Amino acid sequence: MDQPGQLSAAQRSRIRRLSQPKELNPDEEGGELNIVPFLDIVMNILIFVLATVAVTFTASIESTPPSLGGAGVRSDIKSEALNLTILIVNEGFSLKASGGNIATGCNGVGAGLAIPRNSGRYDYKALNECVQKLKGSNPEFADENQVTISPNPATPYSDIIAVIDAVRQTAQGEKLFDDVKFGVVR
Amino acid sequence: MSVPIVRYKAELRKAIRRNAMEPEINFLNITAMLDIMTIILVFLLKTLGESTAAVPQSDDLRLPKSVITTEPPQDGVVVTVSKTQILVGDQRVVALPSRESMVQTGVGASFKRNGPSDLYVVPLGNALQAAGKTDKLIRAAKGLDSSSSDAVIIADETTPYRLLMEVIFTLGQSGFGKYNMMVIQSKQAPGNIN
C-alpha cells in the first residue's frame, strides 16, 4: 500500500521512463555518411602523389638535330670563332678549337689528350677549368656559347650529360658554353 | 490515495534535470577538410598527368642526373629510349638489341635502309612523321610556329651515344627542328663542378 504523500509505484515508474534522455533513431542522427575509409584513401593518395612529385624534379637540355643530309652539325657561328669541339674518348676528353688540337694539360695547341682521366674517372673539374681558360684566351670568344660534343659510340648518356653540365658554366655561375650541338660520326 | 498531480509533475521535472546529459559530440564535421583535400588531390593529379615531366623511374628507364635547373618542356613529341625499346608517345616502335650490339650498329641493320652504318631508323622515322603531323596541327591551333616540331627525348642513362645519335639524326630527318633532353635535377650529378 502506498504511503500518503508518496508517489505511487505507477507514477515512479512513469517518472523514470519519461526522464530518460531520448535516444535518437539511427536515421535521425544528422544524416552523416561514414566517410572515414574514404578519407583514409584520399590521404594515402595525397601523400603518395606529394612524395612522387618531390622526387622527380626534371629539367631539360635544349639542342637542335643535325642538318638534313647528316653532313655535320648546324653551325651558325663565324669562322674566326673558337669553334670548340669536345671529343669524349675512353681515355678522357680531347678538345679541338679553330687553332687546332689542345695539348695535354690544356696548355696551348699541341698533340695529346687535353684532359686524360684522373685516377680512372673523367675529370670534369679540369674540363671546366680548361674551357674557361680557352674562352678567356681571346675577347672575341666572350659571346660564343656554342660547343660541339662528339662522344664515342659507346659513351653512356649520363657521361654526355655530365660533360654538358661541366661546360655550361663556371663554378662562380658565369656562363660558358650552354648551346650544345652533337657531332655526327659518319 | 495518490499524491496530487502537481507533486508528480515537479518530481518528473526534477528527474529529467538530473538525468539530462551534456550534448555529446559523436561525429566530427570534417566536410570542409575533405573539400580542401579533394581539391588538392584533383589539382595534383591533373598537373602530374598533363606535364611531360612525369617520367616514371624504373630499372628499364632511369634518367641521368644533371645540375641544370631549367623548366621541363610543356609540349612536343615524346621519344622514350629505354634499355629495351624505343617509344614514340605511348607507341612502341623499335625493340632494342643488347648493349654491345647497340654500340656497334645502333638499333640494328634490319631497321635501316642502307645497312648497319646508316643512321636513319625507318620505323622510328615513320612514327615520328605521323606524330609530327599531329604536333604541327596542335601547334597551329595554339598559334605557335608550326613550320617545325619540338621533340622531348627521355633516354636511359646507360644509352650508348651511337643509339642516341641515330635517334637525334632520325629526328632531324623527320622535320623536328629542336629537341629537349630530359634529366633529373640533382646536386649529386657527376658533372657538378662545385
Side-chain angles (χ1 to χ4, degrees):
Chain A
M1 194 62 197
D2 286 333
Q3 295 296 313
Q6 292 284 311
L7 296 170
S8 70
Q11 280 175 325
R12 277 203 303 272
S13 114
R14 278 189 75 187
I15 285 171
R16 253 202 310 281
R17 188 160 49 80
L18 290 173
S19 68
Q20 286 305 311
K22 278 181 194 151
E23 287 286 330
L24 287 172
N25 288 330
D27 53 346
E28 284 174 350
E29 277 184 351
E32 283 288 313
L33 285 169
N34 186 7
I35 47 170
V36 178
F38 172 67
L39 201 70
D40 286 352
I41 296 167
V42 170
M43 273 302 266
N44 278 327
I45 298 175
L46 192 68
I47 290 166
F48 171 77
V49 167
L50 282 174
T52 323
V53 166
V55 171
T56 55
F57 274 120
T58 51
S60 74
I61 298 164
E62 202 181 296
S63 185
T64 50
S67 55
L68 290 172
V73 286
R74 263 184 208 158
S75 201
D76 48 4
I77 48 175
K78 48 192 190 297
S79 56
E80 65 268 26
L82 180 61
N83 232 334
L84 184 67
T85 301
I86 300 169
L87 289 99
I88 310 174
V89 293
N90 282 335
E91 294 77 29
F93 306 118
S94 172
L95 272 68
K96 289 190 180 1
S98 44
N101 187 58
I102 308 297
T104 309
C106 203
N107 291 318
V109 178
L113 204 59
I115 298 143
R117 278 183 189 249
N118 185 0
S119 54
R121 301 166 70 100
Y122 282 128
D123 196 348
Y124 298 108
K125 208 169 172 61
L127 175 68
N128 180 266
E129 282 159 9
C130 185
V131 292
Q132 200 177 337
K133 189 173 160 187
L134 289 171
K135 189 165 182 161
S137 64
N138 189 331
E140 278 189 32
F141 303 156
D143 296 333
E144 193 173 331
N145 67 341
Q146 186 170 299
V147 60
T148 304
I149 297 180
S150 270
N152 251 8
T155 308
Y157 185 41
S158 52
D159 285 353
I160 302 170
I161 297 293
V163 169
I164 294 173
D165 279 349
V167 300
R168 176 166 291 271
Q169 59 181 26
T170 64
Q172 288 75 41
E174 283 170 58
K175 214 164 85 172
L176 286 173
F177 299 93
D178 57 359
D179 184 8
V180 176
K181 311 282 179 209
F182 286 106
V184 177
V185 186
R186 294 291 285 179
Chain B
M1 192 193 112
S2 63
V3 289
I5 194 79
V6 178
R7 173 91 197 280
Y8 161 70
K9 280 189 172 174
E11 283 291 325
L12 179 61
R13 273 199 297 276
K14 224 185 279 174
I16 288 175
R17 258 203 309 279
R18 210 169 38 234
N19 290 341
M21 287 188 299
E22 283 291 308
E24 190 187 342
I25 304 171
N26 47 19
F27 62 87
L28 282 170
N29 190 358
I30 48 171
T31 317
M33 188 175 106
L34 202 68
D35 283 354
I36 296 167
M37 287 217 295
T38 313
I39 289 169
I40 296 174
L41 185 68
V42 169
F43 170 77
L44 282 176
L45 285 175
K46 192 175 170 291
T47 323
L48 217 72
E50 272 190 354
S51 75
T52 46
V55 183
Q57 298 283 297
S58 67
D59 283 344
D60 193 36
L61 178 64
R62 208 165 284 285
L63 291 183
K65 293 187 179 74
S66 169
V67 288
I68 198 167
T69 52
T70 50
E71 284 293 307
Q74 287 306 308
D75 48 11
V77 176
V78 179
V79 182
T80 311
V81 184
S82 78
K83 284 188 177 75
T84 54
Q85 56 188 350
I86 299 179
L87 298 105
V88 174
D90 295 330
Q91 182 200 350
R92 176 180 162 153
V93 288
V94 178
L96 294 172
S98 70
R99 194 173 189 281
E100 291 72 33
S101 166
M102 281 196 279
V103 170
Q104 301 293 324
T105 60
V107 296
S110 55
F111 293 113
K112 298 173 189 176
R113 283 179 298 212
N114 304 318
S117 61
D118 194 2
L119 292 175
Y120 186 78
V121 184
V122 177
L124 178 62
N126 293 344
L128 282 175
Q129 274 162 15
K133 272 182 201 158
T134 320
D135 189 54
K136 277 179 188 166
L137 289 174
I138 293 169
R139 288 176 72 87
K142 278 185 175 175
L144 298 165
D145 170 29
S146 61
S147 60
S148 78
S149 308
D150 289 1
V152 180
I153 299 178
I154 299 170
D156 184 77
E157 62 180 1
T158 62
T159 309
Y161 179 63
R162 165 80 206 193
L163 178 67
L164 198 67
M165 186 169 60
E166 287 182 0
V167 172
I168 293 170
F169 182 81
T170 311
L171 275 174
Q173 297 278 304
S174 309
F176 286 83
K178 209 176 85 182
Y179 60 88
N180 292 284
M181 292 176 291
M182 295 287 281
V183 290
I184 287 193
Q185 290 178 28
S186 169
K187 288 270 174 248
Q188 281 92 46
N192 192 352
I193 41 135
N194 290 312

